[in-house]
Amino acid sequence: MREILIVGGGYAGFYTAWGLEKKLRRDEARVTVVDPRPYMTYQPFLPEVVAGSVEARHAAVSLRRHLHRTRLIAGSVTEIRDSAHTATVRPQSGPEFDLHYDILVMTAGAVTRTFPIPGLSDQAYGLKHVEEAVAIRDRLLTSFDRAATLPHGPERRRLLTATVVGGGFSGVEGFGELLSLASALLKHYPEIGAEELAFHLVEARGRILPEVTDGPGEWVVRSLEKRGARVHLNTQLVSAKDGRVVLSDGSEYDSELLVWTAGNAANPIVHNHTDLPVDARGLLMVRADLRVGTESEVVADVWAAGDDASVPDLAAGRPDARTVPNAQHAVRQGKLLAKNILASLRGRPAKDYVHHSLGVVATLGLGRGIFQYRRLVIKGFPAWLMHRGYHVLAIPSWERKARVFAVWVTAAFFGRDVISLASVQHPREAFVSSGDPRRGEKSADADAVAG
């Protein structure tokens, strides 16, 4: 049988493998997926995980639960030598080994783009994975618990200050949901007033949400500011050393929570450790039919999709247009990729990827949202309902749809859960302390240093 190797189990990789499983004959090919995580993260739900509107596990789709005929390897691909049809795999346990393949599918996904800003790597959280969303939520809840016991002063102000850097969809949605959670917490903390909250959104460009037009983007800024937030446009993070945030607009303050969502970068495996063609941004050069290569020269039996692929956007009507790295494209590219690989195996021509946008929709917190399709703009509660409706239908499997919907229904009657589980980050603390709180503090300090 032919060996199909899929590097990455995110949107594009998962949907490619899922589509192949449904159509491949048992003696036709064997599929292998290599990914360090045993699940696909449904990233549009991460802001709602931050706010507690979606359970963390429900934003993750188990690979083993849905890919029954696919060989799954928990590990990372560290090098690809397509000239020898070989990939080097570093498993989570054991020595590295080589995998031979006949067909290669590159869906490794992008990584968070960072800069050498003092204190950033020590203080900031990303927002690309479930564990990051959970940690952000727990950090805010714990800050409220600590601030409620302190007198008014610098330490209390720091605990009630949060900063999100990045005004794209991930940053704005995460910021809106974080602000919504903080506002909802106030009724449970009578010691804390709304005027004490300080939430800052920092964006280097002159506007947020580049996927929408100027008018709706400006409305979102006004909406956030009416809720007490501070939006810094044309502003960059200069330093975050020891939690002291310094911005290029002259602002300077202490912030207990710092979230970094300032864009994506190509996966290092793609632009540093393969012999495949990449463009100036480090993305794989991909044809319209999702084969790696150019219009004049194709790399045989190598395909790519998702955030690491520079795919022509035929729907844009411009020869230099490329699809933007978002879930809408990654999911649809993965589905087409499975069909095109099957067509190639069976001697049929592959189809080009053409997708006309269905519009963009974003949540800005519980009951608030924005939707735009061409000139049609919907704001507020109706847009929020559209956001929830679209994503509960888009998340894979009826099992996940049912779980997410059940949590939403429960929250509608009883409100969101406001319990912090930050202690799970130090699971041995209670055991080590053995009733001595001083030993528990030392254990937590040691865990923090090790982390």
Side-chain angles (χ1 to χ4, degrees):
M1 291 194 297
R2 306 198 76 184
E3 296 284 346
I4 301 174
L5 173 61
I6 301 177
V7 180
Y11 291 117
F14 172 79
Y15 276 97
T16 300
W18 208 19
L20 288 171
E21 275 205 0
K22 295 174 182 178
K23 300 295 183 180
L24 273 175
R25 294 188 291 268
R26 290 191 174 273
D27 60 347
E28 197 168 15
R30 183 170 69 166
V31 180
T32 299
V33 173
V34 180
D35 194 282
R37 288 180 170 81
Y39 55 81
M40 182 205 82
T41 302
Y42 191 73
Q43 292 182 352
F45 276 158
L46 293 185
E48 295 207 53
V49 172
V50 169
S53 301
V54 170
E55 289 291 332
R57 288 175 299 171
H58 300 168
V61 179
S62 170
L63 298 181
R64 291 190 179 275
R65 184 183 181 94
H66 299 287
L67 302 179
H68 305 293
R69 295 170 50 198
T70 299
R71 180 171 59 156
L72 300 172
I73 297 177
S76 302
V77 172
T78 60
E79 184 180 6
I80 293 173
R81 301 176 300 281
D82 188 62
S83 57
H85 279 213
T86 302
T88 300
V89 177
R90 179 183 296 156
Q92 292 184 348
S93 299
E96 290 187 351
F97 59 90
D98 288 342
L99 272 181
H100 177 81
Y101 60 82
D102 298 297
I103 297 172
L104 176 65
V105 180
M106 291 296 297
T107 54
V111 297
T112 301
R113 180 182 60 184
T114 59
F115 300 98
I117 298 172
L120 179 64
S121 60
D122 298 324
Q123 302 293 328
Y125 294 90
L127 191 53
K128 286 184 69 68
H129 303 291
V130 173
E131 56 268 32
E132 293 173 322
V134 172
I136 292 168
R137 168 181 165 79
D138 288 341
R139 185 71 173 259
L140 182 69
L141 293 171
T142 302
S143 295
F144 267 71
D145 286 331
R146 295 169 60 191
T149 63
L150 292 174
H152 292 278
E155 179 64 10
R156 183 175 169 120
R157 284 198 300 272
R158 179 181 65 82
L159 288 168
L160 297 175
T161 301
T163 305
V164 175
V165 182
F169 261 80
S170 179
V172 171
E173 288 190 316
F175 184 78
E177 290 288 355
L178 199 62
L179 181 60
S180 177
L181 172 60
S183 300
L185 288 174
L186 291 174
K187 67 180 179 181
H188 302 290
Y189 291 85
E191 308 90 340
I192 300 175
E195 72 282 354
E196 296 185 76
L197 302 181
F199 278 66
H200 299 262
L201 177 63
V202 181
E203 169 54 42
R205 292 167 292 188
R207 52 163 299 175
I208 62 174
L209 296 178
E211 293 87 349
V212 303
T213 54
D214 290 345
E218 292 168 358
W219 177 85
V220 172
V221 171
R222 293 195 300 270
S223 174
L224 293 173
E225 290 178 337
K226 286 180 181 178
R227 294 161 61 188
R230 173 82 183 275
V231 180
H232 304 260
L233 299 177
N234 295 309
T235 304
Q236 296 178 336
L237 178 66
V238 176
S239 175
K241 195 171 183 180
D242 299 324
R244 184 71 176 176
V245 171
V246 180
L247 303 179
S248 62
D249 66 357
S251 301
E252 189 170 342
Y253 55 88
D254 292 323
S255 182
E256 174 67 9
L257 178 59
L258 176 62
V259 182
W260 179 269
T261 65
N264 295 324
N267 197 305
I269 181 62
V270 171
H271 62 83
N272 290 336
H273 304 290
T274 74
D275 53 358
L276 298 172
V278 297
D279 64 11
R281 297 177 297 165
L283 302 177
L284 288 167
M285 298 175 65
V286 179
R287 294 154 44 106
D289 61 3
L290 304 181
R291 297 177 191 264
V292 171
T294 63
E295 291 302 317
S296 59
E297 186 175 355
V298 63
V299 181
D301 296 321
V302 180
W303 308 75
D307 292 354
D308 266 330
S310 179
V311 180
D313 189 353
L314 301 184
R318 303 190 312 272
D320 60 338
R322 295 293 184 269
T323 58
V324 296
N326 62 24
Q328 195 174 127
H329 282 300
V331 168
R332 287 163 176 79
Q333 288 171 7
K335 292 179 178 180
L336 178 64
L337 195 48
K339 296 176 181 178
N340 280 353
I341 292 172
L342 283 166
S344 176
L345 287 171
R346 296 168 184 175
R348 299 197 301 267
K351 295 182 179 180
D352 288 346
Y353 176 74
V354 183
H355 173 63
H356 296 275
S357 175
L358 303 175
V360 291
V361 62
T363 174
L364 304 175
L366 192 63
R368 301 176 175 90
I370 187 163
F371 168 83
Q372 181 174 17
Y373 176 69
R374 298 181 179 176
R375 295 185 179 181
L376 174 64
V377 178
I378 300 175
K379 305 171 184 175
F381 186 73
W384 176 77
L385 285 179
M386 294 173 68
H387 175 273
R388 285 204 159 181
Y390 172 78
H391 285 298
V392 79
L393 292 175
I395 191 170
S397 83
W398 286 103
E399 171 258 342
R400 274 294 178 265
K401 299 179 200 296
R403 290 182 186 273
V404 170
F405 187 73
V407 171
W408 285 342
V409 171
T410 303
F413 287 99
F414 302 106
R416 71 178 96 205
D417 201 329
V418 295
I419 296 176
S420 169
L421 295 178
S423 58
V424 302
Q425 299 171 35
H426 310 288
R428 297 184 61 253
E429 181 178 333
F431 174 75
V432 173
S433 66
S434 299
D436 184 349
R438 291 172 299 175
R439 291 177 63 185
E441 291 171 3
K442 293 178 181 178
S443 172
D445 291 342
D447 285 350
V449 171

